[in-house]
């Protein structure tokens, strides 16, 4: 008998895509030939007096700007052909849903409590949502692997795992994720959302996409790099998936100010500063967790690999009101399954965290 030889012969992940997207003739944007003067894109030849960009806001930006794709690919340790840059992970989630889910026929699978956009994007597309809850708090909000596999019927095209998970803060280990993508290969794409991975200190799965054609990894500059307002994220996947999604991303998705800002943010000095800020957040996370856990109003603080803490309170409404009265908005997550007494608290500056601790420590009504 011949032993099971790896890698397995797998059909292309594009066999899961919507046939009409595979056949789509994409919009043909103005060609990008910067060595020539542009009289082909119906732009104005003059810059606005308000325009502080290097390239000029009077020009359409380069679609999938090469320098930006290369810089992000270098940051995440992948090939440029494996990376699509878009307006945050939210755009990547939207594109995946539109490319792989047929309205009224296909579904996505997710494990609540988790990030809300996976289900919203599916609903917008008219796709179904299969929910396989995470195991309970006593079992560390772990992924219910047997149930995920059991409920992954043939209509499920995308399986989302958020790691570290929003709002529970825990991470799924790489071994489990690779076993899951192996088990799903040929049936569904595994989307690993690593929006908060930098705060965990654990390695990313991004480099694995070269070996795992059914794995998609989402990264963002919104969290660790402090650029949520710039709207920039990366989808990392097999080149054929990236090429397919390039067909449906709006023609000039990345704005010129964002392109220039992110290119600066990816220079060594800025990356070092970002890493230092992540270190500060991790230190504050530990301090905040310890102080919150000692308060009588707090029932439990969950371990976190992200830049927020999930906190169970004896009276979440009162704690929410107290934080608000101290000028601090925290996230009420009580509508999420299993989190009836919980708040999600983003780690802030030392001063903000200290103010929050004082607010939750106060006795009596808010
Ligand atoms: N994924 C997760 C898990 C998130 O929590 C968020 C934002 N809250 C996003 C993705 C969206 O991030 P972006 O700003 O990159 O669109």
């Amino acid at each position: 008998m011949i032993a099971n030889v790896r890698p397995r012969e797998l059909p292309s992940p594009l066999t899961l895509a919507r046939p009409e997207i595979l056949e789509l003739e994409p919009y043909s944007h103005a060609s990008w030939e910067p060595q020539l003067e542009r009289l082909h894109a119906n732009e104005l030849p003059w810059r606005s007096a308000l325009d502080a960009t290097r390239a000029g806001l009077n020009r359409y930006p380069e679609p999938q700007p090469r320098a930006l794709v290369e810089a992000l690919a270098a940051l995440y340790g992948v090939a440029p052909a494996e990376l699509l840059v878009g307006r945050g992970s939210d755009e990547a989630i939207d594109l995946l849903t539109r490319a792989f889910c047929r309205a009224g026929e296909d579904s996505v699978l997710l494990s609540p409590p988790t990030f809300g956009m996976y289900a919203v994007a599916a609903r917008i597309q008219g796709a179904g949502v299969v929910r396989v809850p995470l195991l309970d708090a006593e079992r560390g909000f772990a992924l219910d692997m047997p149930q995920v596999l059991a409920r992954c019927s043939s209509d499920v095209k995308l399986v989302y795992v958020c790691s570290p998970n929003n709002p529970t803060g825990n991470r799924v280990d790489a071994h489990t994720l690779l076993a899951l993508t192996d088990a799903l290969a040929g049936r569904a794409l595994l989307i690993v959302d690593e929006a908060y991975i930098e705060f965990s200190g654990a390695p990313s799965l991004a480099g694995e996409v070269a070996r795992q054609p059914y794995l998609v990894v989402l990264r963002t500059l919104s969290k660790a790099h402090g650029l949520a307002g710039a709207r920039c994220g990366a989808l990392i996947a097999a080149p054929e998936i990236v090429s397919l999604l390039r067909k449906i991303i709006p023609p000039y998705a990345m704005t010129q100010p964002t392109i220039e800002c992110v290119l600066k943010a990816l220079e060594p000095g800025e990356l070092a500063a970002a890493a230092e800020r992540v270190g500060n957040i991790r230190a504050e996370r530990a301090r905040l967790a310890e102080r919150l856990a000692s308060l009588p109003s707090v029932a439990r603080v969950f371990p976190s690999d992200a830049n927020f803490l999930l906190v169970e309170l004896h009276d979440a409404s009162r704690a929410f009101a107290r934080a608000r009265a101290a000028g601090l908005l925290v996230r009420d997550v009580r509508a999420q399954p299993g989190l009836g007494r919980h708040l999600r608290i983003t780690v802030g500056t030392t001063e903000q965290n200290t103010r929050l601790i004082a607010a939750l420590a106060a006795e009596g009504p808010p």
Side-chain angles (χ1 to χ4, degrees):
M1 206 172 94
I2 301 170
N4 199 7
V5 182
R6 289 171 58 99
R8 269 188 290 159
E9 273 302 319
L10 286 170
S12 157
L14 297 193
T15 54
L16 300 174
R18 288 170 54 203
E20 56 274 36
I21 301 296
L22 291 171
E23 282 155 25
L24 180 77
E25 195 59 57
Y27 172 71
S28 146
H29 28 59
S31 65
W32 185 258
E33 297 182 73
Q35 74 285 7
L36 300 177
E37 293 172 46
R38 293 168 67 92
L39 296 179
H40 71 323
N42 297 349
E43 301 154 340
L44 272 199
W46 308 289
R47 294 172 66 125
S48 148
L50 304 171
D51 180 356
T53 62
R54 192 177 38 75
L57 289 179
N58 53 326
R59 305 300 186 193
Y60 284 101
E62 183 183 1
Q64 289 298 297
R66 202 152 61 112
L68 184 57
V69 169
E70 282 173 1
L72 286 168
L75 177 70
Y76 297 135
V78 300
E82 294 171 333
L83 188 142
L84 181 91
V85 60
R87 289 165 290 184
S89 314
D90 286 337
E91 179 153 58
I93 293 163
D94 176 56
L95 295 173
L96 285 165
T97 314
R98 287 193 285 133
F100 287 91
C101 295
R102 292 166 300 174
E105 294 186 52
D106 296 325
S107 303
V108 308
L109 186 150
L110 49 90
S111 290
T114 194
F115 182 48
M117 273 311 288
Y118 314 139
V120 171
R123 289 289 182 227
I124 292 169
Q125 174 65 7
V129 179
V130 177
R131 291 185 167 82
V132 178
L134 294 175
L135 298 177
D136 57 22
E138 277 56 48
R139 286 175 285 178
F141 297 114
L143 199 63
D144 189 346
M145 269 275 265
Q147 275 303 309
V148 168
L149 292 174
R151 304 275 310 279
C152 188
S153 46
S154 61
D155 58 307
V156 171
K157 295 295 189 293
L158 308 176
V159 173
Y160 285 101
V161 175
C162 187
S163 177
N165 185 43
N166 174 8
T168 55
N170 59 309
R171 186 168 54 82
V172 182
D173 67 80
H175 180 76
T176 303
L177 291 170
L178 289 176
L180 182 57
T181 194
D182 255 345
L184 293 175
R187 296 159 65 185
L189 296 184
L190 174 64
I191 319 298
V192 180
D193 184 344
E194 293 187 337
Y196 299 98
I197 190 83
E198 291 92 338
F199 301 102
S200 75
S204 164
L205 276 194
E208 293 295 329
V209 302
R211 285 175 290 280
Q212 302 279 359
Y214 284 77
L215 174 67
V216 177
V217 175
L218 306 183
R219 304 291 301 262
T220 181
L221 298 188
S222 294
K223 313 291 178 181
H225 295 268
L227 292 175
R231 310 306 300 132
C232 183
L235 176 146
I236 295 161
E240 50 195 326
I241 295 177
V242 170
S243 302
L244 181 75
L245 299 178
R246 279 186 182 192
K247 289 185 10 171
I248 63 168
I249 192 168
Y252 307 101
M254 304 306 296
T255 70
Q256 193 60 35
T258 291
I259 296 167
E260 294 183 17
C261 158
V262 174
L263 280 172
K264 274 201 205 119
L266 298 180
E267 287 173 5
E270 286 300 319
L271 288 178
E276 195 179 322
R277 288 193 293 265
V278 168
N280 290 341
I281 291 292
R282 283 163 56 107
E284 272 300 305
R285 177 179 74 195
R287 184 181 80 92
L288 182 61
E290 195 188 319
R291 298 290 303 278
L292 288 175
S294 72
L295 300 180
S297 59
V298 171
R300 185 147 56 150
V301 180
F302 292 89
S304 172
D305 265 322
N307 68 335
F308 55 81
L309 292 170
L310 180 69
V311 182
E312 183 180 356
L313 296 122
H314 296 298
D315 184 341
S317 301
R318 176 182 284 199
F320 185 85
R322 281 194 191 290
R324 218 186 143 85
L328 299 164
L329 200 51
V330 297
R331 187 71 169 241
D332 187 346
V333 292
R334 285 177 293 165
Q336 294 234 36
L339 303 184
R341 305 199 304 171
H342 299 61
L343 298 176
R344 191 195 70 194
I345 299 173
T346 305
V347 180
T349 63
T350 302
E351 183 278 320
Q352 288 170 330
N353 301 333
T354 300
R355 185 146 41 101
L356 181 79
I357 293 159
L360 299 193
E363 299 283 330

